[in-house]
Amino acid sequence: MDEHMQEAIETVDNARQHKCELEEKRSLLKKAIEQVEHSAELSRREIARYFDELKANVIKACESKADKLMKEVNEIEHEALSPLIDCRTLVQEGIDEAETVVMAGDKLLHDDCCDSEVHQKEFTNFTDMASNIALDSVPEVPSLVEVVCISAILDETLPKMLVQTLKAEGSVSRRAPVQLSDLQARPGGILMSWQHMDDDNDSIDDDDDDDEEVNVLYKLQSCVGKPTTVFKNGRALKETSNFKDEYVGPLSKYLVRGITPNTMYTFRVCCCKCSLNNDAPKIWSPWSIYQQKLTTMPPHQWALTKESGEAYSLSNKQQTVSKSVKRELAIYTKPSENLLFFPVTFRIEAAGKTRGPSDCFAVCFKRDLDASNLHLKEGTFCFHSDGTVWVNGKASKTRFANFYRGMVMSFLIEDTNDNHGGFKKSSKTTNTTRYCVVLSLGDREAVFYWQPFKNMTPCPIQDLCLGLMFKSPGWKVTIL
């Protein structure tokens, strides 16, 4: 093959590789454009929906309040007018009677009747009529200061304040201030991490009041599968999903448990600032970009044998074990390829009446059901109920608290590589195989180096397991 042919082949290969890279970039750009257009359309609809609902609610509230005040005015008016109208009727009746007396008297006084007897009779009749009218009695009428004068008390600054509030309401974020940064598969779970983005417009760290103590909270949600968007005439209408809260708190890392293996999940996170001295409602930021993740690793479970089934019972998808009878028997986890390099966490849900002399959690390779004094056996790493740690049957100087209800402990087992100063996952074990075991309880943790096959025949790595043994009934432990 001549030089020109070789150069042509290399050029074609480079062009092909360059084309593949550009096609990947084009695909990424397509998704980026779709994200911008999709989020913009959803934001437009969300803005329209929000202000349409706000407008309708404000109008409804204004009409309702006006009707209520009008009704109150009508009730006060009716209550105040009723006695005044009755009094006016009584006064008018007195005026009419007095007018009758005046008219009759004037007529009698100006009558030129010559018959004195007739004239005397008319005077008698007039006197009798006047005596039946209380001309010396005037009804009591309240003064104007005693009479109701209805006024409407309205805050004239409210319309202006509402307008100013509406002008300040809402904003448009170019992107969410917090984003998911790392999603790591774990046995039966996914470890989520998130961080703030450097954006001056959306920074959650910009405090309005430097003197006010502010706490930042995060909300992590998940849903099974991918959320779907409803479209109409090519436009996004709404998003349908069944997101649920996984975590709400101040931490920026959380292990989502209860994940079904080989099932895709979608995650999102948001944040909010809240004053520690203020009970104002929380205003959450926009959601982060959705991210999908699955785990292929099943959760750790307890293995119930015929012998251990006489003393223990399982629940919660075989992740919770309960001691039912008084007998020294051990129970172990099912075989798993994921015990190395992934922390395994236990929680004591209930404590028995007593702590037995052999009660412990163990890391070992041999599943010995009748392992009394398991902590004294060669090739085991044990955390005893009295808080001591035993390595290959010998007690270390490190001591933790005694077992108690609610205690949470975590074991992280790593295969050390002394030649490279790091860690590796190896399928073979030898007499020199050494493990680093990190035991954590709350804020305390201790590191131990465990050489299980120093004085025993090496076992396959697949035999590695965790176990526990309790003598008294009542103990209950869950693998988290």
Side-chain angles (χ1 to χ4, degrees), residues 253-292:
K253 181 182 293 186
Y254 183 75
L255 177 60
V256 179
R257 299 182 173 91
I259 297 295
T260 303
N262 302 310
T263 300
M264 186 66 70
Y265 286 79
T266 299
F267 299 92
R268 64 183 185 182
V269 67
C270 65
C271 60
C272 78
K273 292 190 301 182
C274 56
S275 172
L276 299 180
N277 303 320
N278 191 352
D279 295 331
K282 300 179 180 63
I283 300 178
W284 293 95
S285 73
W287 291 108
S288 65
I289 300 298
Y290 295 0
Q291 294 198 35
Q292 284 79 38

Side-chain angles (χ1 to χ4, degrees), residues 33-184:
I33 292 172
E34 289 176 350
Q35 176 175 299
V36 172
E37 294 177 343
H38 174 68
S39 60
E41 182 62 28
L42 287 179
S43 296
R44 281 190 287 267
R45 290 194 168 273
E46 183 66 15
I47 292 171
R49 179 204 61 79
Y50 176 83
F51 283 100
D52 285 345
E53 290 183 0
L54 178 62
K55 188 186 341 180
N57 290 333
V58 169
I59 293 175
K60 182 179 179 180
C62 289
E63 292 176 346
S64 175
K65 186 63 176 180
D67 290 342
K68 181 180 179 181
L69 294 177
M70 291 290 190
K71 183 179 180 181
E72 189 174 347
V73 169
N74 293 339
E75 291 176 351
I76 295 175
E77 179 188 28
H78 176 74
E79 182 181 349
L81 285 178
S82 180
L84 294 177
I85 292 174
D86 291 342
C87 185
R88 184 182 64 181
T89 301
L90 181 61
V91 170
Q92 185 62 46
E93 289 177 354
I95 292 174
D96 294 341
E97 290 176 344
E99 181 66 21
T100 301
V101 172
V102 170
M103 292 177 62
D106 287 342
K107 181 179 180 183
L108 181 63
L109 293 174
H110 294 86
D111 189 2
D112 296 333
C113 181
C114 297
D115 188 346
S116 60
E117 184 177 348
V118 173
H119 199 59
Q120 183 64 37
K121 186 177 181 180
E122 288 180 352
F123 269 107
T124 301
N125 292 336
F126 174 75
T127 303
D128 292 341
M129 179 190 68
S131 63
N132 292 326
I133 299 174
L135 295 177
D136 58 347
S137 175
V138 177
E140 187 73 24
V141 176
S143 63
L144 293 182
V145 295
E146 297 175 312
V147 177
V148 170
C149 182
I150 303 172
S151 300
I153 304 173
L154 303 172
D155 186 359
E156 298 295 340
T157 64
L158 179 60
K160 184 178 179 180
M161 189 168 59
L162 284 176
V163 171
Q164 292 176 345
T165 301
L166 286 174
K167 287 181 178 180
E169 171 61 14
S171 62
V172 177
S173 173
R174 298 179 67 87
R175 61 176 180 175
V178 62
Q179 297 289 343
L180 295 169
S181 57
D182 191 25
L183 291 77
Q184 298 180 13

Side-chain angles (χ1 to χ4, degrees), residues 206-277:
D206 294 338
D207 294 338
D208 297 330
D209 188 353
D210 295 336
D211 297 331
E212 188 175 15
E213 191 174 1
V214 174
N215 188 25
V216 179
L217 295 180
Y218 302 96
K219 181 189 294 184
L220 175 68
Q221 290 189 337
S222 73
C223 74
V224 179
K226 295 182 178 181
T228 57
T229 303
V230 178
F231 289 88
K232 184 177 181 180
N233 299 327
R235 290 181 171 271
L237 290 180
K238 62 180 180 178
E239 184 180 79
T240 60
S241 60
N242 293 314
F243 280 100
K244 66 174 183 177
D245 289 349
E246 294 287 357
Y247 171 77
V248 177
L251 302 180
S252 58
K253 181 182 293 186
Y254 183 75
L255 177 60
V256 179
R257 299 182 173 91
I259 297 295
T260 303
N262 302 310
T263 300
M264 186 66 70
Y265 286 79
T266 299
F267 299 92
R268 64 183 185 182
V269 67
C270 65
C271 60
C272 78
K273 292 190 301 182
C274 56
S275 172
L276 299 180
N277 303 320

Side-chain angles (χ1 to χ4, degrees), residues 177-428:
V178 62
Q179 297 289 343
L180 295 169
S181 57
D182 191 25
L183 291 77
Q184 298 180 13
R186 291 286 188 270
I190 297 176
L191 180 62
M192 313 293 301
S193 300
W194 50 88
Q195 63 182 11
H196 290 292
M197 307 303 296
D198 295 329
D199 193 328
D200 294 338
N201 295 329
D202 301 320
S203 176
I204 196 72
D205 298 323
D206 294 338
D207 294 338
D208 297 330
D209 188 353
D210 295 336
D211 297 331
E212 188 175 15
E213 191 174 1
V214 174
N215 188 25
V216 179
L217 295 180
Y218 302 96
K219 181 189 294 184
L220 175 68
Q221 290 189 337
S222 73
C223 74
V224 179
K226 295 182 178 181
T228 57
T229 303
V230 178
F231 289 88
K232 184 177 181 180
N233 299 327
R235 290 181 171 271
L237 290 180
K238 62 180 180 178
E239 184 180 79
T240 60
S241 60
N242 293 314
F243 280 100
K244 66 174 183 177
D245 289 349
E246 294 287 357
Y247 171 77
V248 177
L251 302 180
S252 58
K253 181 182 293 186
Y254 183 75
L255 177 60
V256 179
R257 299 182 173 91
I259 297 295
T260 303
N262 302 310
T263 300
M264 186 66 70
Y265 286 79
T266 299
F267 299 92
R268 64 183 185 182
V269 67
C270 65
C271 60
C272 78
K273 292 190 301 182
C274 56
S275 172
L276 299 180
N277 303 320
N278 191 352
D279 295 331
K282 300 179 180 63
I283 300 178
W284 293 95
S285 73
W287 291 108
S288 65
I289 300 298
Y290 295 0
Q291 294 198 35
Q292 284 79 38
K293 187 71 175 179
L294 59 79
T295 180
T296 59
M297 297 176 283
H300 297 298
Q301 296 176 321
W302 297 106
L304 200 64
T305 63
K306 181 179 179 181
E307 292 81 1
S308 62
E310 298 175 358
Y312 296 94
S313 61
L314 302 184
S315 59
N316 187 29
K317 299 180 180 179
Q318 301 179 0
Q319 291 181 284
T320 299
V321 59
S322 302
K323 186 69 187 298
S324 52
V325 298
K326 187 176 182 180
R327 181 182 173 186
E328 283 192 342
L329 274 180
I331 186 172
Y332 300 92
T333 57
K334 290 182 177 180
S336 173
E337 298 179 355
N338 305 306
L339 284 175
L340 288 181
F341 300 98
F342 297 115
V344 183
T345 304
F346 300 94
R347 181 173 62 219
I348 299 178
E349 307 287 358
K353 293 183 178 179
T354 60
R355 288 187 291 108
S358 298
D359 292 356
C360 65
F361 287 85
V363 183
C364 56
F365 281 86
K366 291 186 177 181
R367 292 175 168 81
D368 188 354
L369 295 178
D370 294 322
S372 59
N373 296 322
L374 183 61
H375 61 292
L376 300 178
K377 291 186 176 294
E378 187 71 31
T380 61
F381 177 94
C382 290
F383 177 37
H384 197 272
S385 61
D386 63 4
T388 56
V389 178
W390 295 72
V391 183
N392 289 335
K394 297 180 180 180
S396 70
K397 296 181 180 180
T398 305
R399 187 182 181 97
F400 292 92
N402 296 341
F403 287 0
Y404 60 88
R405 180 174 177 266
M407 173 182 275
V408 177
M409 67 198 75
S410 178
F411 294 85
L412 175 60
I413 311 166
E414 297 176 314
D415 184 4
T416 63
N417 183 347
D418 294 332
N419 295 328
H420 297 86
F423 302 101
K424 64 178 181 179
K425 186 173 182 178
S426 175
S427 59
K428 296 181 180 180

